[in-house]
Amino acid sequence: MAVAALPNDTAAVAGAPASYWRTVAWRLSRDPTTLVAGGLLVAIALSALLAPWIAPYDPNAGSIRLRLAPIGAASHPLGTDEQGRDMLSRLLFGGRMTLVAGLTPVVVGFLLGTVLGVVAGYAGGLVNTVVMRTMDVFYAFPAVLLAIAISGALGPGLPNTLLALSIVFVPRVVRVAESATVQVKGLEYVAAGRASGAGVAQILRYHLLANVLGPVLVFSSTQVSLSIILAAGLSFLGLGITPPAAEWGLMLNTLRQSIYVNAWVPALPGLAIFLTSMAFNLVSDGLRDAMEIRG
Amino acid sequence: MTAPSPGPVLAVRDLQKHFPLRAGVLQRARAWVRAVDGVAFDVHAGETLGIVGESGCGKSTLARLILRLVEPDAGSVQFAGQDVLAASPGTMKRLRRDMQLVFQDPYASLNPRLTIEDAVAFSLIVHGVRRRAARDSARMLLGRVGLDPDLYGRRYPHELSGGQRQRVNIARALVLDPRLLVLDEPVSALDKSVQAQVINLLQELKTERALTYLFISHDLNVIEYVSGRVLVMYLGQVVESGTADALAEAPKHPYTQALFASAPSMDPERRMARPPISGDPPNPINPPSGCRFRTRCASAMPECAEAPPALVSVAQGHDVACYLYGGSPAAGGSPPRSAVPAATTA
């Protein structure tokens, strides 16, 4: 137990009791791994956000004479790519695309999936069967295959990538939200709410959502890293972001052939993908531990 | 019945609930669990009616049926002359102010994301009371059940002990100022010393607020202590009903006798070499024919297997469903029909 005093210890309970979110924040502040990963995420997000101001060069301006400059080259700290474009600038701009492609589908999945899952779980019966079996259809395909199939059918481009990935993530969130709802629905405090005359809306708002959102939020945060990897994967295959725009997966693909000329520059976008998805995973792990209610 | 008041607060008739056991792809009902099978009784204003029976005899289902948290298959429930089962949603919401339930599990019965003062205030907010006024009432009631609102009001359930949570549950049930409180094993999950405190609190509140209790428990000592009248249930049916004293002094039904005999005693003279009944109750999915207790009964007779016995009066206000006391088969082989004379609703 964190700040909470022992229940029977009446001497120690004096003073302001900690609220739930304050307890969560306190636990997070004592978790160095999550703090470092969170700091890294903030840095990545800021650098992507501020890319137009902090990037030293135009990410799309190349130079025939300066192709594949090594890391640490004069005036190009992270080298240049196969068309002589500044790698640092491209990584900064590429982060914007990758983060948008990684976060948007998960946010869409979280919103839509929670609504569908809670409705299916609370209504039960036929509604539940229809919603859940439909989700199972999407589940029948591996995530990568499904994303490739959808964006292959829709054609490349950012909007289609977002749509394809959203379709991948909605069913996953629905499952988690549905099972959490079914579990909470059977608890006595929901029956107590009904016994006091509360309507469906009030039960959903005060009793169900409050207890379902936590686990769904934690689950969704674990999916961000997967979404980033999938988005980069689609671009790598030529189904996502189209050149010449900078995107980490796409950069990885175009630099692939240069790996024998200069091994370190092509590794940079891969490293960026790795660090970002790792940071998201660590933060969601920390969040799960901190949000757990300990009796 | 020795009813001083004109009509009962609660009149239950032939209440029945069979839960389907589903199996297969099409989820058809393959079997039915006869959780509550033809239960009838009255609760009069100001009394405490105890309901006692082993685990799985349908006590908790009965509580949920009365409050219409589970819809019964058949039977009727009348609260102060009003038909609960036929009530419209609007009427039902109003009725819910008058009949409240205290749950058994102090852990699952409080929302972990609401502070206890919000948990208690929630019922009032549902009924249209302003948030601030609701919170004030909640804090007052928390104080009454022995939880200082300044100390505990903003706490979350996981920061409280089982006994404290049960006090919160009681406050939540009372905040709507009900007339009838259904207590479903309110102290079973608590330590003995805490049990006594909570029972005493319940007794005080009953006098203070002129409440009527329907007290469900498997613990005979508790039931004997709190109840005026007692109903003994076995596999979804009432086997005996009478005043707590009459049942304690002269239990008639072999099951009641066995229950009282198996209650632990402090008197070494009364120590038992072996329990008076053993084994678990039969499966309610496929209950024994005739009298449901006959498979564990020491005095089972051939006719017990044929038809279930109806409740017969053995003394003023003391009914037994057993052939040993000259009971006749219940009409049409159906469960006991009338535990009490037909209701004359006010």
Side-chain angles (χ1 to χ4, degrees):
Chain A
M1 177 159 299
V3 266
L6 289 173
N8 285 325
D9 190 357
T10 33
V13 293
S19 85
Y20 173 70
W21 290 109
R22 198 176 297 171
T23 312
V24 170
W26 187 85
R27 285 179 190 158
L28 281 177
S29 73
R30 317 232 337 164
D31 180 355
T33 315
T34 309
L35 285 182
V36 169
L40 187 62
L41 271 190
V42 171
I44 292 170
L46 275 180
S47 66
L49 206 66
L50 300 175
W53 293 279
I54 58 173
Y57 295 93
D58 178 348
N60 294 329
S63 158
I64 298 288
R65 294 188 305 141
L66 261 175
R67 283 179 299 165
L68 290 171
I71 293 173
S75 74
H76 291 289
L78 291 181
T80 58
D81 71 357
E82 79 286 355
Q83 296 190 35
R85 296 175 291 199
D86 180 52
M87 275 305 278
L88 177 61
S89 307
R90 281 184 75 73
L91 282 173
L92 289 173
F93 274 93
R96 311 183 107 194
M97 284 291 191
T98 307
L99 284 181
V100 166
L103 284 171
T104 317
V106 174
V107 171
V108 171
F110 172 72
L111 296 176
L112 214 61
T114 307
V115 171
L116 279 172
V118 169
V119 167
Y122 194 74
L126 188 66
V127 177
N128 185 294
T129 308
V130 170
V131 173
M132 296 317 288
R133 294 300 80 78
T134 311
M135 294 304 138
D136 283 353
V137 172
F138 291 104
Y139 238 95
F141 304 96
V144 184
L145 206 61
L146 185 64
I148 291 174
I150 299 169
S151 31
L154 295 171
L158 183 63
N160 288 344
T161 305
L162 296 183
L163 182 64
L165 291 179
S166 300
I167 293 175
V168 169
F169 288 106
V170 169
R172 293 163 171 257
V173 179
V174 170
R175 271 206 174 176
V176 174
E178 192 256 2
S179 76
T181 306
V182 168
Q183 192 207 344
V184 170
K185 191 178 79 164
L187 294 177
E188 285 182 343
Y189 61 80
V190 175
R194 285 171 56 214
S196 61
V200 175
Q202 281 160 322
I203 298 274
L204 283 177
R205 185 171 152 209
Y206 290 99
H207 293 315
L208 273 167
L209 272 186
N211 289 288
V212 168
L213 277 183
V216 175
L217 198 69
V218 168
F219 173 77
S220 301
S221 67
T222 65
Q223 299 294 297
V224 175
S225 64
L226 181 63
S227 181
I228 287 174
I229 291 170
L230 280 180
L234 286 180
S235 303
F236 181 86
L237 294 170
L239 292 166
I241 315 296
T242 42
E247 200 273 344
W248 293 343
L250 186 64
M251 289 161 71
L252 205 57
N253 185 22
T254 53
L255 279 165
R256 176 166 56 106
Q257 285 110 345
S258 317
I259 200 153
Y260 298 108
V261 182
N262 184 340
W264 291 108
V265 172
L268 286 175
L271 185 70
I273 295 171
F274 167 74
L275 282 179
T276 312
S277 60
M278 194 67 168
F280 267 111
N281 268 347
L282 289 174
V283 167
S284 77
D285 269 5
L287 213 56
R288 189 194 53 211
D289 290 345
M291 284 174 68
E292 189 187 11
I293 288 176
R294 294 167 216 179
Chain B
M1 289 301 114
T2 50
S5 53
V9 173
L10 184 74
V12 175
R13 293 291 169 272
D14 294 333
L15 208 57
Q16 187 175 308
K17 181 70 190 179
H18 295 177
F19 291 106
L21 280 183
R22 298 182 189 280
V25 184
L26 294 174
Q27 294 291 297
R28 289 226 179 86
R30 292 292 162 90
W32 297 86
V33 179
R34 297 161 151 234
V36 173
D37 213 0
V39 169
F41 58 87
D42 283 348
V43 185
H44 298 279
E47 79 167 333
T48 298
L49 177 66
I51 295 185
V52 70
E54 279 167 287
S55 315
C57 74
K59 301 172 304 228
S60 291
T61 307
L62 184 64
R64 282 164 171 74
L65 290 176
I66 291 168
L67 288 156
R68 219 175 151 195
L69 291 174
V70 176
E71 293 287 335
D73 296 332
S76 77
V77 176
Q78 296 213 326
F79 180 80
Q82 203 156 14
D83 191 341
V84 175
L85 301 181
S88 65
T91 319
M92 201 57 223
K93 191 167 174 178
R94 208 154 7 89
L95 274 173
R96 292 205 185 282
R97 299 195 73 141
D98 283 334
M99 41 204 285
Q100 279 289 312
L101 178 62
V102 174
F103 289 89
Q104 170 175 9
D105 185 346
Y107 292 85
S109 52
L110 288 173
N111 184 341
R113 295 291 160 100
L114 288 184
T115 61
I116 62 169
E117 82 185 21
D118 284 344
V120 176
F122 176 73
S123 308
L124 285 172
I125 293 169
V126 162
H127 285 274
V129 177
R130 282 276 179 86
R131 199 169 284 269
R132 174 164 293 190
R135 195 165 282 173
D136 288 344
S137 308
R139 290 173 65 86
M140 210 141 79
L141 207 53
L142 281 176
R144 176 61 196 91
V145 299
L147 294 172
D148 181 352
D150 293 325
L151 220 55
Y152 294 100
R154 304 295 307 157
R155 286 182 176 270
Y156 287 85
H158 70 270
E159 300 171 285
L160 304 183
S161 68
Q164 288 171 331
R165 290 180 202 214
Q166 208 56 318
R167 288 171 191 269
V168 177
N169 274 328
I170 292 167
R172 173 177 60 191
L174 288 180
V175 77
L176 289 172
D177 211 3
R179 292 164 63 189
L180 173 74
L181 206 55
V182 178
L183 301 137
D184 182 10
E185 305 259 15
V187 295
S188 305
L190 307 177
D191 293 344
K192 275 287 169 211
S193 58
V194 183
Q195 272 192 8
Q197 293 169 15
V198 171
I199 287 175
N200 288 337
L201 172 68
L202 284 170
Q203 300 284 58
E204 286 167 28
L205 289 167
K206 181 172 183 255
T207 332
E208 230 172 79
R209 300 176 156 247
L211 292 165
T212 305
Y213 282 172
L214 185 62
F215 198 107
I216 297 173
S217 180
H218 66 267
D219 188 333
L220 264 180
N221 294 326
V222 171
I223 283 283
E224 236 186 295
Y225 179 68
V226 299
S227 319
R229 276 191 314 130
V230 176
L231 224 60
V232 183
M233 273 182 80
Y234 187 76
L235 280 187
Q237 296 181 336
V238 176
V239 295
E240 185 165 359
S241 73
T243 61
D245 295 338
L247 254 62
E249 280 158 25
K252 297 294 184 198
H253 197 283
Y255 178 60
T256 320
Q257 290 170 352
L259 268 189
F260 275 94
S262 54
S265 171
M266 295 299 285
D267 181 0
E269 299 291 305
R270 287 187 57 200
R271 277 197 189 138
M272 295 166 293
R274 60 192 177 87
I277 42 172
S278 56
D280 295 322
N283 196 336
I285 296 169
N286 198 2
S289 67
C291 173
R292 291 186 176 182
F293 185 60
R294 71 178 167 82
T295 50
R296 298 163 84 192
C297 182
S299 30
M301 301 175 289
E303 62 249 58
C304 297
E306 278 156 27
L311 279 168
V312 287
S313 180
V314 287
Q316 172 75 16
H318 191 166
D319 299 305
V320 174
C322 180
Y323 289 120
L324 290 174
Y325 304 95
S328 57
S334 66
R337 280 288 150 195
S338 53
V340 281
T344 48
T345 46

